[in-house]
Amino acid sequence: MKNLKFLAGLMIMSMMVCFTSCSSDSDSGSSVDSIVGSWKQINDYGTEITITFNSNKTGRVQYEYPEDGGGSYEIFEYYYDTEEKELTVTGDTQLRGKYDVVITATKLILEDYYDDIQFEFKRI
């Protein structure tokens, strides 16, 4: 009987440790929630747009145009509020502005804060 109580207590303790460690994993800022990295989209005109967010709050937008095979890029600075899920982009870039952000394991959705327009990118 003592062995049964001991085993039951041991099992309950190990379950508590397991649930506690699982809980802390989901609460910490995982890479899925991070805006840092590169994201790509092809717009309605066939232009390939790649946005890269660096960990030092700088970034780059690369445009590759289908009609002539050329391209261009813009450099920007940004602030991302992880609690409010809001992105503010500054600098001389077409991306400049404020966005509501949705991030999944494979997607970045930027919704223009003022115009209610969405831009969807895939993680690369």
Side-chain angles (χ1 to χ4, degrees):
M1 190 66 153
K2 285 183 181 181
N3 284 341
L4 187 58
K5 285 183 180 180
F6 175 75
L7 288 174
L10 187 60
M11 192 164 73
I12 289 172
M13 293 281 285
S14 62
M15 287 175 63
M16 288 173 49
V17 169
C18 179
F19 289 131
T20 302
S21 65
C22 292
S23 166
S24 66
D25 287 347
S26 62
D27 290 342
S28 67
S30 68
S31 62
V32 171
D33 294 338
S34 178
I35 199 166
V36 174
S38 293
W39 308 86
K40 185 177 284 191
Q41 121 180 152
I42 298 176
N43 69 14
D44 294 339
Y45 302 103
T47 302
E48 189 173 292
I49 303 168
T50 303
I51 300 176
T52 301
F53 294 96
N54 302 313
S55 60
N56 66 354
K57 308 260 189 255
T58 64
R60 176 183 169 119
V61 183
Q62 177 75 36
Y63 302 96
E64 294 182 29
Y65 308 110
E67 62 274 357
D68 62 4
S72 64
Y73 70 91
E74 301 168 338
I75 303 295
F76 62 87
E77 293 182 0
Y78 73 94
Y79 173 74
Y80 179 56
D81 184 333
T82 56
E83 290 183 19
E84 296 294 324
K85 305 288 187 203
E86 289 180 350
L87 171 68
T88 303
V89 177
T90 59
D92 189 20
T93 175
Q94 295 178 47
L95 189 61
R96 181 180 53 243
K98 190 172 183 179
Y99 302 88
D100 290 321
V101 176
V102 176
I103 299 175
T104 70
T106 59
K107 281 193 236 177
L108 169 69
I109 300 172
L110 302 177
E111 183 175 323
D112 189 287
Y113 193 79
Y114 300 105
D115 296 331
D116 200 31
I117 300 170
Q118 286 189 350
F119 306 97
E120 187 173 316
F121 295 85
K122 291 187 178 186
R123 189 182 293 269
I124 55 173

